[in-house]
Amino acid sequence: MNDLRIVFMGTPNFASNVLEGLIDNGYNIVGVVTQPDKEVGRKKVLTPSPVKEVALSRGLKVFTPFKIRKEYDDILALNPDLIITCAYGQIIPKEILDYPKYKCINTHGSLLPRGRGGAPIQHALIDGDEKTGITLMYMNEKMDEGDILYQKEIIIDDLDTNTTLFSKLSDLALNMLLEFLPEYFKGNFKATKQDNALATYTYNLTKEDEFISFDDDTKKVYNHIRGLLDNPGAYFVLDNVKYKLIKVHYELTNVSEPNTFVGLENNYLRINCKDGFIKVFIIKPEGKNEMDGKSFYNGKGKSLVGLKPETVYEKR
């Protein structure tokens, strides 16, 4: 069945890994749809998505509609038998959903119906979930409400960050597709309706979410931080300077001064929370390079001991 015509729709690294795996395993990808190039960095360099880079390197046709609801004729002209979406980033119109013989399958980074929406992987960490997974599902015109086709879970490790969990789930998504598609084409599957009463929703992260307050329970603060590492990143503000957190962990213990920059302990920076503290191993002061905790402390850090980080986000 690998001669069936498949259109792949996706954008970030999470999806580019899946696209490469499908190509390497002989699936007939006749076209790729991804988000338009974006300006990146201070110099605003127009940069293609990771999926587009993979597609072009493999000689595939690429389409980058700004509004796919209005710009879909070229996609239908590919005459796809199946469309696979994976973190594409736009709502797919009914004209596309109704076209393929084998319908449209979405690869979603949560255990639906929990974690509908645009940022399920980040929120699994931020919310302190113990497990998450991948759901293969039929697409419909609503947000992640289609029937479930196949689902697998993984345990979230205490050291997982946004980056590591994305990588694990991307690998899982590819493996699930490779397992499921041969049986799907044979009709050996059962679609299960979602229980909408159990649904939860994850909003796309904002600049405000990147701000970290230490005036909270330690594990909650740690989960917030790791849900943002390494992209888009997390920062705190101390003495009117922004500090980006690069590598952290935590320890639970009684503290006498919550929400306080304590200083250097065992080669890490200690910042107290309500019931423990965050260990900062690598930090990036605003406008400077990354440095380990000891190097920071021996420079600016000594003068900050005893100060309290800001607890309320302010646009800067």
Side-chain angles (χ1 to χ4, degrees):
M1 301 295 287
N2 284 12
D3 60 338
L4 291 172
R5 300 175 63 82
I6 298 175
V7 167
F8 184 89
M9 306 176 71
T11 299
N13 283 319
F14 179 85
S16 65
N17 173 62
V18 175
L19 173 60
E20 281 198 293
L22 291 173
I23 297 169
D24 290 342
N25 281 273
Y27 283 92
N28 181 28
I29 309 298
V30 297
V32 171
V33 184
T34 188
Q35 293 282 61
D37 297 359
K38 288 188 175 181
E39 294 179 343
V40 175
R42 293 181 179 178
K43 295 184 179 180
K44 296 185 177 181
V45 178
L46 201 60
T47 304
S49 73
V51 164
K52 182 178 179 179
E53 290 182 336
V54 168
L56 292 176
S57 73
R58 298 300 188 102
L60 299 176
K61 293 181 179 178
V62 180
F63 301 93
T64 57
F66 284 93
K67 293 184 178 180
I68 197 170
R69 285 184 173 275
K70 298 180 179 180
E71 305 170 60
Y72 54 78
D73 289 343
D74 288 338
I75 300 168
L76 299 186
L78 294 171
N79 192 27
D81 296 302
L82 170 70
I83 293 176
I84 296 174
T85 67
C86 183
Y88 168 54
Q90 293 190 48
I91 300 296
I92 311 301
K94 183 175 175 60
E95 289 82 357
I96 292 179
L97 296 176
D98 291 344
Y99 187 91
K101 175 183 177 181
Y102 290 97
K103 302 185 178 182
C104 297
I105 294 177
N106 184 37
T107 306
H108 187 74
S110 80
L111 298 172
L112 292 171
R114 180 175 176 81
R116 293 174 178 173
I121 299 174
Q122 297 95 323
H123 281 282
L125 290 165
I126 292 171
D127 295 343
D129 292 351
E130 295 182 352
K131 64 181 181 180
T132 185
I134 291 291
T135 302
L136 303 183
M137 53 175 286
Y138 277 138
M139 295 190 69
N140 59 27
E141 293 181 274
K142 297 182 179 180
M143 176 70 75
D144 301 325
E145 292 189 20
D147 293 351
I148 294 172
L149 299 168
Y150 189 28
Q151 197 169 65
K152 276 190 175 183
E153 68 178 45
I154 62 171
I155 301 300
I156 297 176
D157 187 271
D158 194 49
L159 294 175
D160 271 326
T161 66
N162 178 15
T163 297
T164 63
L165 193 55
F166 260 87
S167 179
K168 290 177 181 179
L169 288 173
S170 180
D171 289 342
L172 178 62
L174 172 60
N175 291 334
M176 287 174 63
L177 283 168
L178 296 178
E179 291 173 7
F180 177 73
L181 288 177
E183 299 304 313
Y184 177 68
F185 293 137
K186 295 174 186 176
N188 297 332
F189 69 95
K190 180 181 179 181
T192 304
K193 290 191 176 298
Q194 295 188 44
D195 185 347
N196 289 331
L198 300 177
T200 64
Y201 295 86
T202 65
Y203 61 87
N204 289 324
L205 298 175
T206 66
K207 289 291 184 182
E208 185 173 353
D209 291 308
E210 297 172 26
F211 171 78
I212 303 298
S213 169
F214 295 92
D215 191 25
D216 210 333
D217 295 339
T218 305
K219 191 63 184 292
K220 187 175 180 181
V221 174
Y222 173 68
N223 287 336
H224 187 178
I225 295 169
R226 69 189 184 126
L228 297 161
L229 300 182
D230 300 293
N231 182 39
Y235 72 91
F236 66 98
V237 178
L238 183 62
D239 196 26
N240 293 315
V241 178
K242 289 174 65 173
Y243 295 96
K244 189 172 183 180
L245 296 159
I246 307 299
K247 183 179 179 181
V248 305
H249 205 242
Y250 70 97
E251 185 172 319
L252 300 179
T253 188
N254 292 327
V255 296
S256 58
E257 293 184 90
N259 188 44
T260 301
F261 180 82
V262 175
L264 189 69
E265 289 187 3
N266 300 318
N267 291 322
Y268 59 76
L269 301 171
R270 171 172 170 166
I271 305 178
N272 281 356
C273 301
K274 288 185 175 180
D275 59 351
F277 56 90
I278 298 297
K279 302 176 178 181
V280 181
F281 296 96
I282 302 178
I283 192 171
K284 184 184 182 305
E286 187 174 16
K288 297 185 178 180
N289 295 327
E290 295 178 9
M291 60 185 75
D292 60 51
K294 186 175 182 179
S295 297
F296 175 76
Y297 180 77
N298 288 334
K300 178 70 178 290
K302 289 182 179 179
S303 66
L304 302 176
V305 172
L307 298 183
K308 293 184 176 295
E310 293 183 15
T311 58
V312 178
Y313 168 80
E314 293 184 10
K315 188 174 182 179
R316 293 173 182 271

